[in-house]
Amino acid sequence: MSEPVKGIKSPVRLEYTVSAGRALSRFLAALTEARLLAGRCSVCRKVYIPLRSVCPTCAAPMSEELTIADTGTVTTFCIVNVPFEGQTMKLPYVYASVLLDGADLPILHLIQIPAEEARMGLRVKAEWVPPAERRPTLESIRWFTPTGEPDAPFDTFKEHL
Amino acid sequence: MREVAVVSFAEVAYPRSEDDEVELISAVIGRAMTASGIAKSEIGFTVSGSCDYLGGRPFSFVTALDAVGAWPPISESHVEMDGAWAFYEAWVRLQHGDIDAALVYAFGRTSQGELRDVLATQLDPYYFAPLWPDAVSLAALQARAMIDKGICSEKDMAEVARARRRAGAARRASSPVEASVDALLASPYVVAPLRSHDCAPNSDGAAAMVLAAGDLVKRVARPAFIRGVDHRIEAHALGARDLSRSRSTELAAEKAGAKGRHFDVAEIHAPYSHQDILVARALGLAGDVAINPSGGAFGANAYIVTGLGRIGAAATSIIDGTAKSAVAHATSGPCLQQNMVCVLGGER
């Protein structure tokens, strides 16, 4: 009797051309001009970044589009110690939720700080790559760097964790 | 059985859209909710149909929930199938009797990939999928089986395709056919015996529907009552089936109470002209029924949306008063593998 077949190889490859949608496309395009485009919900008044067409809580449209500051507060963070393919940062490094000033939803980005100094409440500012290198991606922000301001009190961001 | 009705339906379809899923869906949910006269707070169950293979990314139905406004938390479900099966789940949920309204929606952005190849991934993974038979080629096998048995000719198929495309022109998601049947038959094959007119267009779109039961239906001026609904499936292996006959449609039609009944309108989910002919036979439609006045899949064909769209179009014909009775059909899988039949009527 021949050996039983224990597995087969069956490669799957499909190609896609994905568009980001109307609202997200505009957010991504604004990054090439070093602008952070957000939207305010017409019902709950919360400010969402990235800009989106609909408030996920109210299912209502945005009533206003606004460019918000590239400064903010670290709400939560993690320290990456695990290597993986395509990694560009030297281990260990800090990856954090940054609540931009004026926004109600944090974005995720790298923080340029020694891992042992990472903390909640840290005030940071975006470091944009030079204009010629900017693309419609959050990589147009190299990372966030500490501003040197005093840490933000917990109460100022506790609703945004 | 508890009486459940379709009270509103809305759809959008484009040859290609730059809208993302949320942008497509929020437009139709808004319209369907407004037309229903039912408040968001009265919806007891929300269920969607979508296919992650269309965009090549997981959990697109979770992202899509942004369009629903799922706060305070809602009771929600999803099928990785045509929205017609989401409709079926909503109908079952309403049979429980503790809720009186449900929202069903479906979305599909076919333009993101090559649908005929994407659909090869739904085949059996050991014997079939590794060969990558594309969806048009499989449909052509079925058309060939029908022609060989004398069930239809390429001319019959061209006539059906031409009529459907003309009927669906108002939906502006496909190009209407101006050419004569003779001219169509002179055009080259895509995969013999299918020519380009025999294949429905691929569209981007979304659809939403509100179902109601109990006291909520009494508020609605002209609901489309679901008199019967059933779905049946055939073998996964195409070689195990007689492709020239749709036994699962026949059985679903019988169980849904469609057999031997007169209908003003029949909406058939057939992305290929020969399947339109095959399903019409399986449903046993009488001569004076209007088949696919919406154009069916030839009017717009956003994968995952088209089946729900047939139920929606059939229900709309009752809601707007153009029909007193209608039958809708939806399909899933290669060569009409799985089929649903839904009988709708306007009388209380």
Side-chain angles (χ1 to χ4, degrees):
Chain A
M1 214 172 107
S2 58
E3 282 294 300
V5 177
K6 290 181 177 164
I8 60 165
K9 278 192 180 167
S10 178
V12 173
R13 182 187 168 83
L14 292 165
E15 291 197 11
Y16 294 96
T17 307
V18 177
S19 61
R22 291 179 198 278
L24 191 56
S25 293
R26 298 188 51 217
F27 169 81
L28 293 170
L31 291 173
T32 64
E33 303 159 5
R35 285 195 304 122
L36 292 160
L37 200 56
R40 190 189 301 278
C41 171
S42 55
V43 175
C44 70
R45 314 298 296 159
K46 281 194 172 146
V47 173
Y48 287 98
I49 185 161
L51 175 70
R52 46 177 80 202
S53 50
V54 174
C55 171
T57 304
C58 310
M62 299 292 137
S63 61
E64 184 191 342
E65 283 181 20
L66 53 163
T67 298
I68 60 170
D70 63 357
T71 53
T73 301
V74 170
T75 58
T76 63
F77 63 91
C78 72
I79 296 167
V80 180
N81 283 296
V82 182
F84 56 85
E85 199 175 302
Q87 203 165 39
T88 53
M89 298 290 287
K90 195 166 154 276
L91 296 176
Y93 63 90
V94 180
Y95 189 66
S97 282
V98 177
L99 183 68
L100 295 166
D101 295 335
D104 285 295
L105 210 65
I107 62 168
L108 295 165
H109 218 297
L110 302 164
I111 310 294
Q112 176 65 352
I113 192 173
E116 62 275 16
E117 290 175 32
R119 59 196 183 270
M120 294 170 83
L122 180 71
R123 293 285 298 158
V124 291
K125 181 174 171 53
E127 183 179 318
W128 296 86
V129 302
E133 292 172 31
R134 282 182 211 147
R135 301 281 176 271
T137 152
L138 269 176
E139 286 172 300
S140 289
I141 295 175
R142 182 166 287 130
W143 44 47
F144 282 78
T145 54
T147 62
E149 295 166 87
D151 286 359
F154 181 71
D155 281 351
T156 61
F157 60 86
K158 69 177 180 187
E159 298 299 328
H160 302 283
L161 293 175
Chain B
M1 283 293 169
R2 190 177 191 216
E3 220 162 35
V4 174
V6 178
V7 297
S8 64
F9 174 73
E11 70 170 346
V12 287
Y14 310 97
R16 183 190 166 84
S17 171
E18 292 305 317
D19 287 349
D20 65 17
E21 287 77 0
V22 174
E23 288 160 346
L24 279 173
I25 303 160
S26 49
V28 290
I29 288 182
R31 275 165 48 204
M33 287 302 297
T34 303
S36 75
I38 287 169
K40 188 180 153 189
S41 58
E42 292 176 304
I43 298 288
F45 185 60
T46 300
V47 57
S48 63
S50 69
C51 176
D52 282 351
Y53 285 76
L54 287 184
R57 58 187 180 140
F59 298 106
S60 55
F61 71 95
V62 177
T63 316
L65 270 173
D66 279 9
V68 176
W71 186 265
I74 60 170
S75 170
E76 184 267 340
S77 185
H78 172 257
V79 296
E80 187 80 8
M81 299 184 79
D82 189 288
W85 276 263
F87 157 87
Y88 188 87
E89 186 174 335
W91 176 79
V92 170
R93 182 65 188 84
L94 285 161
Q95 293 303 321
H96 294 194
D98 58 322
I99 58 163
D100 289 339
L103 171 67
V104 182
Y105 62 91
F107 57 94
R109 291 168 73 199
T110 315
S111 68
Q112 298 177 104
E114 196 61 56
L115 184 65
R116 59 193 284 185
D117 294 332
V118 170
L119 290 179
T121 58
Q122 72 181 331
L123 301 167
D124 130 61
Y126 306 111
Y127 301 104
F128 230 40
L131 304 173
W132 284 92
D134 72 276
V136 179
S137 299
L138 293 181
L141 276 179
Q142 183 172 41
R144 175 64 67 205
M146 289 174 64
I147 291 168
D148 286 353
K149 281 207 172 171
I151 294 168
C152 65
S153 64
E154 291 178 28
K155 184 162 178 272
D156 297 334
M157 288 156 54
E159 281 169 355
V160 164
R162 191 166 178 273
R164 301 293 177 261
R165 282 178 189 271
R166 289 197 157 195
R171 290 156 76 198
R172 289 181 296 179
S174 73
S175 44
V177 170
E178 300 301 337
S180 67
V181 168
D182 285 344
L184 290 177
L185 290 173
S187 64
Y189 290 118
V190 177
V191 181
L194 297 178
R195 297 178 173 85
S196 102
H197 59 257
D198 291 310
C199 309
N202 291 329
S203 323
D204 290 351
M209 178 185 281
V210 176
L211 301 180
D215 288 343
L216 282 186
V217 186
K218 292 175 191 155
R219 285 203 325 232
V220 180
R222 195 147 41 185
F225 287 101
I226 300 160
R227 301 294 185 211
V229 56
D230 196 86
H231 65 100
R232 301 281 155 163
I233 192 164
E234 295 178 52
H236 202 173
L238 290 167
R241 292 167 47 193
D242 176 358
L243 296 181
S244 68
R245 190 176 162 187
S246 184
R247 288 174 188 273
S248 52
T249 302
E250 291 169 19
L251 193 55
E254 186 190 322
K255 299 292 180 186
K259 243 185 151 179
R261 223 152 130 172
H262 167 83
F263 297 105
D264 295 331
V265 164
E267 282 285 341
I268 291 172
H269 177 186
Y272 303 93
S273 58
H274 67 279
Q275 293 182 346
D276 191 299
I277 295 167
L278 188 58
V279 172
R281 282 169 64 97
L283 292 172
L285 295 176
D288 57 346
V289 57
I291 299 178
N292 280 352
S294 70
F298 287 89
N301 187 34
Y303 183 67
I304 290 293
V305 182
T306 312
L308 179 66
R310 306 287 54 72
I311 299 167
T316 301
S317 70
I318 289 168
I319 292 166
D320 69 17
T322 55
K324 286 192 167 60
S325 62
V327 62
H329 158 266
T331 195
S332 181
C335 300
L336 303 170
Q337 186 195 2
Q338 186 169 11
N339 294 281
M340 181 182 296
V341 175
C342 178
V343 174
L344 296 150
E347 280 176 31
R348 285 184 193 269

